């Protein structure tokens, strides 16, 4: 079993650790400390050694931050985690406030902190965040100090060691392009920008650029390391030496110099007098500070790996297609189980999550989950990012909805899929809302669009049917997905807030509209799809891109109100189910195959 359901953290952590931190603050002549959730690598999932916010507060959510002062502490958590934050922190020690309003920096700006000194760790926040923090501190009358040592690291007794999983080559059969060719392309782009080098700080970008993978982070096969790529295509790769093998050295070849991670600062200082590009959205302020102090000219530019990584090549598309096909078999076996044994009204959320993982383990060559399974029964389905624990575990009760959002990591691809099913008999409202969500999903899946279109332009398609009914959902519609990398990747996305990155062929993006009735049920339908090259439309004048589906698993046919669908929408559902049968039925047998044929019957 790759996931646990006993969530770490809790009020006792704050009671034990907050006094230790305050002692360290006093020793360092600090009145306060800004504590982000992010670690040095801006990872979505953190190694235990980097869970600083959880250590000091007990709060284990994936998004939040805090200010800790010698006389008070304030934790900020967004709407996904307000209940969890209240449960996991001691109200006598931590005030809990929401994000985005006013947020940590907005809160600080409204305070009277005259004469106080607040520290921050420049390795943990971006230069843009530093600018916001400085502005807020100035408004509050406080003195802001960049720290060479994090007070939490000083106070943290028994801190876990940094992860040391081996770094392994990722076969070119999966990667599609040799890493020397990737580095040459990066060098060409640097020359075009009149830059001598780029510092690649994102572990996902390092993994993609050098065709390597690791195991330092849960749910994502990342090696924690950094790289400097020069305009001639040569590179320095900084990794902990214990992670390096002879096989890795052979894989990297003569064009890559391996250096210990402890020499990263020296490597940056070697760039004195050079023009160096760094991405301010993914690199911490420490990189900019170090390079500028060394005398380098810093260009603030997007990570040059981000866009090539997002636009999958033919081998990556073929690999992830195969991974999704296998994943679809495991998911279909699970959906059959939900429609039979799990209809008893006695199965729990944890049992369901474990059952799905077992199907993936049994059939599809699972290396890891791509994120902790969201297994939401009844009212928990209305929490879009719910994570089940032994303390919250509900039964899949009769006459309710069950939402499951899950995915796997395979050598050839990364999956992410959401299905909503009825346990027992669904109400008329449940079926109506499911159908409205389905209409939005279909609209986004079927759209054709011209070059230059961004995800923001398309977002309204997934919401249109819900909006006409006076409904909406408060999360993005689609995120980028890697290939045996992160289940969430940029720079593109489909959401209301403006995203300036045009959608391009080869990009993988989720399609996941939803509806959530607080305290009762949640509905989400999610497939992954990739963008196809521009192609003509009969009678049209402009070649249009579109989406090709990757995810194959039956929809909840019994939740569809057929009369609410247009003829074109019914045709789409029938065509989708026909393709599900074509892809999966040959890999199934017996009761499951018969069930799938019925689940995909024409509507």
């Amino acid at each position: 079993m790759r996931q646990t359901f006993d969530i770490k953290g809790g009020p006792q952590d704050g009671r034990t650790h907050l006094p230790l931190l305050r002692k360290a603050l006093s020793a360092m002549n600090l009145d306060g400390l800004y504590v982000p959730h992010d670690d040095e690598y801006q990872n979505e999932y953190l190694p235990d050694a980097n869970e600083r916010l959880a250590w000091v507060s007990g709060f284990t959510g994936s998004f939040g931050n805090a200010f800790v002062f010698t006389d008070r502490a304030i934790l900020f958590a967004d709407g996904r985690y307000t209940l969890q934050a209240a449960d996991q922190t001691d109200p006598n020690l931590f005030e809990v406030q929401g994000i985005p309003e006013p947020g940590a920096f907005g809160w600080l700006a409204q305070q009277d902190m005259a004469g106080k000194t607040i520290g921050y760790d420049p390795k943990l926040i971006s230069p843009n965040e530093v600018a916001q923090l400085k502005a807020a501190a100035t408004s509050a009358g406080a003195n802001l100090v960049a720290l060479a040592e994090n007070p939490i690291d000083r106070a943290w007794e028994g801190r876990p060691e940094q992860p040391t999983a081996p770094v392994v080559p990722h076969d070119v059969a999966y990667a599609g392009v040799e890493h020397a060719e990737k580095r040459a392309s990066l060098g060409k782009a640097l020359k075009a920008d009149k830059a001598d080098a780029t510092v690649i700080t994102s572990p996902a970008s390092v993994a993609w650029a050098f065709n390597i993978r690791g195991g330092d982070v849960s749910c994502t096969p990342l090696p924690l390391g950094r790289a400097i790529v020069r305009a001639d295509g040569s590179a320095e790769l900084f990794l902990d030496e214990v992670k390096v093998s002879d096989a890795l050295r052979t894989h990297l070849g003569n064009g890559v110099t391996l250096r210990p991670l402890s020499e990263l600062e020296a490597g940056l200082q070697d760039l004195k007098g050079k023009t160096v590009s760094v991405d301010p959205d993914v690199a911490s302020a420490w990189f900019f500070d170090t390079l500028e102090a060394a005398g380098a000219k810093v260009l603030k530019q997007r990570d040059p790996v981000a866009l090539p990584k997002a636009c999958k090549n033919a081998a990556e598309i073929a690999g992830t297609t195969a991974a999704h096909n296998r994943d679809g078999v495991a998911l279909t076996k699970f959906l059959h189980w939900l429609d039979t044994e799990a209809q008893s009204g006695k199965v729990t959320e944890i049992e369901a999550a474990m059952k799905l993982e077992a199907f993936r383990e049994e059939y599809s060559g699972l290396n890891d989950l791509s994120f902790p399974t969201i297994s939401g029964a009844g009212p928990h389905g209305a929490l879009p990012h719910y994570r089940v624990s032994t303390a919250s575990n509900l039964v899949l009760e009769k006459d309710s909805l069950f939402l499951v959002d899950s995915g796997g990591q395979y050598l050839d691809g990364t999956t992410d899929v959401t299905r909503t099913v009825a346990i027992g008999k669904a109400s008329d409202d449940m079926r109506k809302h499911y159908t409205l969500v389905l209409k939005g999903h279909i609209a986004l899946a079927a759209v054709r669009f011209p070059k230059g279109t961004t995800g923001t332009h398309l977002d309204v398609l997934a919401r249109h049917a819900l909006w006409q009914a006076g409904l909406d959902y408060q999360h993005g519609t689609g995120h980028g997905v890697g290939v045996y990398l992160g289940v969430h990747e940029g720079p593109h996305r489909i959401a209301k807030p403006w995203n300036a990155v045009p959608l391009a062929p080869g990009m993988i993006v989720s399609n996941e509209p939803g509806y959530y009735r607080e305290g009762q049920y949640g509905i989400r339908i999610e497939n992954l799809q990739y963008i196809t090259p521009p192609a003509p439309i009969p009678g049209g004048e402009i070649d249009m891109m579109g989406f090709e589906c990757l995810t194959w698993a039956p929809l909840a046919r019994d939740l569809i109100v057929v009369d609410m669908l247009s003829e074109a929408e019914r045709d789409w559902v029938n065509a989708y189910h026909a393709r599900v049968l074509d892809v999966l039925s040959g890999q199934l047998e017996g009761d499951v195959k018969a069930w799938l044929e019925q689940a995909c019957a024409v509507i």
Side-chain angles (χ1 to χ4, degrees):
M1 184 57 55
R2 300 173 187 272
Q3 54 191 324
T4 60
F5 303 99
D6 291 314
I7 295 179
K8 299 176 182 178
Q12 185 57 45
D13 282 353
R15 296 177 196 128
T16 303
H17 300 150
L18 191 57
L20 297 176
L21 175 57
R22 284 176 168 156
K23 183 178 178 181
L25 293 178
S26 296
M28 298 172 72
N29 296 315
L30 295 170
D31 299 296
L33 176 70
Y34 174 62
V35 186
H37 173 267
D38 291 339
D39 70 352
E40 292 87 336
Y41 296 90
Q42 285 68 56
N43 285 315
E44 181 173 7
Y45 303 108
L46 308 188
D48 288 345
N50 296 348
E51 289 277 11
R52 295 179 176 91
L53 181 61
W55 179 85
V56 71
S57 68
F59 170 64
T60 60
S62 66
F63 189 82
N65 45 31
F67 279 109
V68 174
F69 298 96
T70 53
D71 58 352
R72 66 188 300 199
I74 305 91
L75 175 72
F76 302 85
D78 71 8
R80 294 175 292 171
Y81 295 117
T82 48
L83 294 177
Q84 181 178 334
D87 287 340
Q88 291 187 308
T89 56
D90 185 334
N92 296 314
L93 298 176
F94 279 89
E95 305 167 39
V96 176
Q97 297 209 14
I99 298 173
E101 298 296 340
F105 301 153
W107 176 90
L108 179 62
Q110 297 169 8
Q111 308 305 305
D112 180 4
M113 296 279 176
K116 293 189 181 295
T117 299
I118 302 173
Y120 72 95
D121 186 339
K123 291 185 177 181
L124 306 185
I125 63 175
S126 71
N128 294 336
E129 290 175 300
V130 170
Q132 295 173 44
L133 180 56
K134 284 182 177 177
T138 298
S139 295
N143 179 38
L144 192 66
V145 179
L147 304 173
E149 181 185 14
N150 192 309
I152 292 178
D153 299 350
R154 175 185 285 198
W156 192 339
E157 299 172 357
R159 183 184 177 193
E161 297 293 327
Q162 290 291 331
T164 56
V167 178
V168 298
H170 188 54
D171 198 305
V172 71
Y174 301 124
V177 178
E178 295 283 1
H179 66 86
E181 184 178 341
K182 292 180 178 180
R183 289 186 284 105
S185 295
L186 293 173
K188 185 177 180 180
L190 290 171
K191 288 178 183 177
D193 290 336
K194 296 182 169 52
D196 299 301
T198 183
V199 181
I200 301 178
T201 65
S202 162
S205 291
V206 170
W208 184 90
F210 293 89
N211 288 350
I212 57 177
R213 297 295 189 269
D216 289 335
V217 179
S218 66
C219 298
T220 314
L222 294 178
L224 296 185
R226 317 285 196 175
I228 297 172
V229 178
R230 299 177 186 271
D232 63 2
S234 66
E236 294 169 275
L237 178 58
F238 297 84
L239 296 169
D240 281 340
E241 293 171 287
V242 70
K243 302 177 184 180
V244 176
S245 66
D246 289 341
L248 180 65
R249 294 181 189 278
T250 301
H251 165 76
L252 294 172
N254 295 329
V256 179
T257 301
L258 272 166
R259 297 181 66 176
L261 193 57
S262 59
E263 294 183 8
L264 176 60
E265 185 170 359
L268 298 178
Q269 291 170 344
D270 291 342
L271 295 172
K272 178 180 180 180
K274 303 294 186 182
T275 300
V276 184
S277 77
V278 190
D279 188 338
D281 290 328
V282 298
S284 71
W286 177 84
F287 285 93
F288 294 85
D289 296 344
T290 303
L291 286 166
E292 289 166 0
K297 179 183 177 182
V298 180
L299 298 178
K300 292 184 177 182
Q301 295 181 323
R302 180 193 297 146
D303 176 355
V305 174
L307 203 53
K309 176 164 63 70
C311 297
K312 279 47 177 182
N313 59 48
E316 290 172 318
I317 291 295
T320 202
T321 297
H324 278 82
N325 290 354
R326 297 193 309 275
D327 196 72
V329 173
L331 183 61
T332 297
K333 290 181 177 181
F334 173 70
L335 293 172
H336 167 259
W337 175 82
L338 281 177
D339 199 39
T340 53
E341 295 180 47
Q343 293 291 314
S344 66
K346 298 177 181 179
V347 172
T348 69
E349 293 171 330
I350 288 178
E351 288 170 338
M354 291 172 64
K355 191 71 173 180
L356 177 52
E357 184 176 335
F359 280 126
R360 285 191 166 111
E361 289 272 14
E362 170 190 309
Y363 178 78
S364 51
L366 183 72
N367 283 349
D368 199 354
L369 301 179
S370 56
F371 57 96
T373 299
I374 297 171
S375 179
H380 286 165
L383 305 172
H385 300 277
Y386 169 69
R387 182 174 177 183
V388 59
S389 70
T390 52
S392 68
N393 194 22
L394 290 182
V395 169
L396 280 58
E397 294 183 345
K398 287 281 192 179
D399 303 332
S400 69
L401 293 183
F402 173 62
L403 184 154
V404 59
D405 187 348
S406 67
Q409 290 284 9
Y410 308 97
L411 275 175
D412 49 357
T414 301
T415 69
D416 180 6
V417 53
T418 306
R419 289 294 183 266
T420 306
V421 302
I423 305 298
K425 181 177 175 58
S427 69
D428 289 345
D429 274 355
M430 292 173 181
R431 297 181 70 241
K432 170 189 171 183
H433 293 145
Y434 183 93
T435 308
L436 290 172
V437 171
L438 176 60
K439 288 170 73 73
H441 181 93
I442 294 170
L444 185 57
V447 68
R448 300 290 296 276
F449 53 94
K451 182 179 179 180
T453 300
T454 75
T456 308
H457 294 134
L458 300 183
D459 182 76
V460 66
L461 293 172
R463 300 178 192 271
H464 179 262
L466 286 162
W467 281 2
Q468 303 318 296
L471 307 171
D472 200 3
Y473 52 94
Q474 301 305 315
H475 59 72
T477 299
H479 56 83
V481 180
V483 174
Y484 196 43
L485 278 174
V487 73
H488 299 120
E489 75 168 22
H492 61 293
R493 67 192 299 250
I494 300 175
K496 288 180 185 178
W498 174 245
N499 183 292
V501 179
L503 299 173
M507 287 179 171
I508 298 174
V509 64
S510 65
N511 174 356
E512 50 181 306
Y515 170 72
Y516 309 94
R517 176 164 281 187
E518 185 176 356
Q520 296 186 41
Y521 57 83
I523 297 163
R524 187 160 64 251
I525 302 170
E526 178 187 18
N527 288 345
L528 298 190
Q529 50 197 31
Y530 67 88
I531 299 168
T532 58
I537 294 176
E541 298 178 351
I542 302 172
D543 288 355
M544 296 287 178
M545 295 182 285
F547 291 114
E548 178 70 25
C549 189
L550 286 166
T551 304
W552 305 110
L555 302 167
R557 192 169 172 274
D558 59 326
L559 290 177
I560 300 173
V561 182
V562 177
D563 290 346
M564 289 176 59
L565 299 181
S566 68
E567 183 178 355
E569 289 168 336
R570 292 196 298 273
D571 289 345
W572 185 94
V573 171
N574 289 330
Y576 177 77
H577 277 152
R579 185 70 185 278
V580 169
L581 279 173
D582 181 58
V583 171
L584 302 182
S585 62
Q587 305 174 73
L588 297 167
E589 57 187 21
D591 291 345
V592 179
K593 183 174 182 179
W595 175 87
L596 179 64
E597 291 171 350
Q598 181 60 39
C600 293
V602 172
I603 62 170

